[in-house]
């Protein structure tokens, strides 16, 4: 059973903004706190201790850029250092937000990229099979021709552009 706790805004250990969303919930293994800094887009949770199995798995499965951008920081409120990573958000009906390196720049030079989902005309859908559901086809695809980019400390602007704060989306989540 998962029990949701109180959500609140705290100061981000990544950029010290006061727009870091903290959420707490209880699982069968105990209380887990998660953070998503709405300024920097970095995220972590209390299972991401530097010697944890969860962190080892994350490092095996994560893209090289995201691994390179990892920060080891004390969470809001103190405690053991945790690994923090830039988040990647995929909303099949809306689009994606992900970190993207700036070509020809150093590893710390990157931006947030927003790609919106656009409808696939019915006559073209057979070109886009859904591998998880044989015999079915995607109805939307990512519009890679109309990418928007945001500064690495403008994650909230990128999220707003994607529509993460749309009233209908928030109501559906509740």
């Amino acid at each position: 059973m998962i029990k949701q706790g109180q959500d609140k805004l705290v100061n981000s250990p990544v950029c010290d903004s006061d727009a870091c969303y903290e959420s707490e919930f209880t699982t069968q293994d105990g209380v887990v706190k998660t953070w998503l800094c709405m300024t920097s887009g970095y995220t972590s949770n209390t299972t991401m201790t530097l010697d944890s199995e969860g962190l080892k798995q994350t490092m095996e499965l994560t893209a090289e850029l995201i691994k390179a951008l990892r920060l080891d920081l004390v969470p809001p409120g103190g405690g053991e250092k945790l690994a923090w990573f830039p988040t990647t958000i995929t909303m099949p009906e809306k689009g994606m937000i992900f970190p993207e390196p700036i070509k020809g720049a150093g590893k710390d030079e990157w931006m947030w990229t927003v790609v919106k989902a656009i409808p696939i005309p019915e006559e073209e859908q057979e070109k886009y099979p859904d591998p998880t559901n044989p015999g079915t086809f995607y109805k939307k695809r990512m519009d890679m021709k109309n990418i928007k980019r945001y500064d690495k400390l403008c994650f909230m602007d990128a999220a707003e552009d994607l529509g993460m704060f749309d009233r209908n989306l928030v109501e559906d989540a509740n």
Side-chain angles (χ1 to χ4, degrees):
M1 180 172 145
I2 294 178
K3 182 181 164 224
Q4 185 73 31
Q6 187 66 31
D7 298 347
K8 62 183 178 180
L9 290 175
V10 296
N11 278 28
S12 168
V14 177
C15 65
D16 201 37
S17 83
D18 61 358
C20 186
Y21 182 76
E22 179 181 276
S23 183
E24 185 177 294
F25 57 94
T26 305
T27 69
Q28 60 192 22
D29 296 326
V31 174
V32 175
K33 278 188 182 180
T34 64
W35 296 273
L36 173 58
C37 175
M38 296 305 292
T39 301
S40 70
Y42 271 76
T43 186
S44 189
N45 66 66
T46 50
T47 69
M48 297 301 280
T49 58
L50 304 186
D51 60 352
S52 70
E53 191 57 40
L55 178 56
K56 287 178 193 154
Q57 288 178 355
T58 297
M59 293 303 287
E60 288 174 15
L61 301 172
T62 299
E64 291 303 315
L65 173 64
I66 293 174
K67 287 193 278 194
L69 295 174
R70 171 184 160 181
L71 299 173
D72 296 340
L73 301 166
V74 173
E80 189 176 350
K81 274 190 178 180
L82 303 173
W84 291 71
F85 296 95
T87 193
T88 299
I89 296 175
T90 303
M91 301 169 66
E93 291 299 309
K94 291 198 173 276
M96 299 173 18
I97 301 174
F98 54 91
E100 181 181 25
I102 297 173
K103 289 178 177 48
K107 85 167 182 94
D108 289 334
E109 297 303 315
W110 58 278
M111 299 184 87
W112 288 109
T113 299
V114 175
V115 179
K116 294 197 177 176
I118 57 172
I120 301 169
E122 198 169 325
E123 62 275 6
E124 292 180 28
Q125 288 177 8
E126 65 186 35
K127 297 178 191 173
Y128 300 91
D130 181 348
T132 60
N133 294 303
T136 63
F137 304 94
Y138 289 114
K139 294 181 178 8
K140 290 195 174 190
R141 66 174 179 80
M142 297 302 142
D143 181 7
M144 300 307 284
K145 290 181 181 166
N146 293 301
I147 291 173
K148 286 190 181 175
R149 292 182 175 92
Y150 294 85
D151 182 81
K152 62 185 173 185
L153 290 178
C154 292
F155 177 78
M156 193 177 311
D157 294 336
E160 188 173 334
D161 185 19
L162 185 62
M164 284 181 58
F165 307 118
D166 286 356
R167 185 171 190 82
N168 292 341
L169 183 68
V170 172
E171 287 173 0
D172 288 348
N174 293 331

